[in-house]
Amino acid sequence: MFRFKKNYFVAMGLVLLLAGLLRVYQLSLTPGGLYWDEAVIGYDAFSLAKTGRDHTGNVPITFIKSFGDFKNPLYVYLTSTVIKLTGQLNKVSVRLTSVIAGIMTCWGVMILTKIWTKRKRVSLLAGLLIAISPWAVMMSRAGFEANLFLSLSLWAIIFFSWFIKNGKIHNLLLSSSLFGLTLYSYHSAKITTPLIVLSFFVIFSKKLLKLKFKLVGPLLVLFLWGIPFLNSETIKTTFFRVGGVTQVNQEVINKNADELLRDDYVAVNRFFHDSRYIRIKSYLSNYAKNLSFNYLFFEGDSNRRHSLDGFGQLYLVEMLSILAGGYYLLKLKKKSGLRKLLAVLLLISPVPSAISVQAPHALRSILLLIPLSMLSALGFNYLIGQKRIKILTLLLGVFILFQSFEFFHHYFNHYNYSNSTDWQYGYKDTIDYLKDLNIEGKKVVFTNEYSQALWYLAFYWPFDPSEFQQDAKIDYGESGRFWEATGSFKNFEVQKEIDWRDYAESNAVIVESPGKIPDELPKKTFYYPDGQVVFEVSDTSEWYESK
């Protein structure tokens, strides 16, 4: 057994090194493409780096328009800094902020666990679990705003915990600042941050109220961070975004109203069709899905950008360790701040996903990584300490090694092949081909079959931000249907549907999805790694030459 007291910081450094390696290895290759959000985040960051403004020509504060879904600006600003420092706009520059946030999360979990358990071995186990966690690794290898939100929330909790332990006001001020900053990182923070802050105030009220007038400072910091969200336009945007992802839409409510009509408005039946009852039932169902064993340990998120097929969000062996960790906590006789902390985080973390369209959802419930990794570490430590079943320690080690090797084997060797469509593979190769063509004086018509083609053109070309801000014509989609966003810039045009006959007598280059351009016409074909066709490119000037 290692001498943890002497080697703790060395061991912590090794855990962080492992976390870093697993997050940067083949980062430019896996995942194989940029998904929609990464493309628009990257181009807006590029625009900010070059002009100080986003693609619309605005300086974003609370929201950035993005492709019409109104993202939070913090990740974009941090990425613009990376682009300024590196001079590069590519997959790595877009993902580097998330990589750093992922490593900071690993470090933070070790610190938070050490604060509340005072056990170095448990701390290192928690960090190791985050370092190799399928959930944490996949979130850290793509430009997910949620991963930044997780790291900021964790460090806000850490500084609050330090305040609880040592009573130093500067820790509370730093905690308030980081909690405020989360509001600019990811939409879920507008729900979780107020709930966590309020819960902490209730649970640790005795400690906080002892500050008296000194408490004004941290509260003022929180208020100042929240002020930009209080104007009418920002509130309107917030409700627009919430309306786009909430679970129960008007169609479901109308359906229940029709069923109530068929019930002749019988009073006893009215309750079952009440919109409030329907919403509550739906939210509770979604809430439970985020804590289900099937989601956490067997199947994971159905969105394959968030999990691997055949794997849960966590390793299967962690089902045992988390249950053991919960058992250990319940055994504690004295009042436990750790028990209260984990209870708050477990209860609040699934809430954003519970009220959204997709549930369970690995991004919106990402804060679960904090309490689950700590519980799992407590459980492993408890099981390892059972002297009567020493072989259990060996078995647990073998299981976690086997499952982690299996996960990373599939992730680095097969993921790009089987899940390239989830990462919009093919845009870069196709646009690089367009660059090599002589398109001067030609209209380039690009299909929006896979959504957000305009932003891939802007990113991979890349378009000059100053010109794009002035001359781009963008249709962001009707009534929040931002996935249908189309537009044009210079000789480039993105269309929802293209009829090749419209360009039969024009000088144009058409980029279509498979099967749309007749086989007898000359075309260049681009493929997914599994051999399926992703794009076909045809230059109309070659149509008559081929006859």
Side-chain angles (χ1 to χ4, degrees), residues 54 58-64 71-74 77 183-184 225 228-229 231 234:
D54 67 8
N58 294 320
V59 180
I61 298 175
T62 53
F63 295 104
I64 191 164
K71 289 180 173 53
N72 295 272
L74 184 58
Y77 275 113
L183 301 175
Y184 299 81
W225 279 113
F229 291 94
N231 70 72
T234 302

Side-chain angles (χ1 to χ4, degrees), residues 8 97 124 143 155 170 203 249 275 381 391 427 471 479 518:
Y8 176 63
T97 297
L124 293 173
W155 281 92
H170 71 270
I203 294 170
N249 57 35
S275 62
N381 187 67
I391 194 171
Y427 274 106
D471 302 330
S479 303

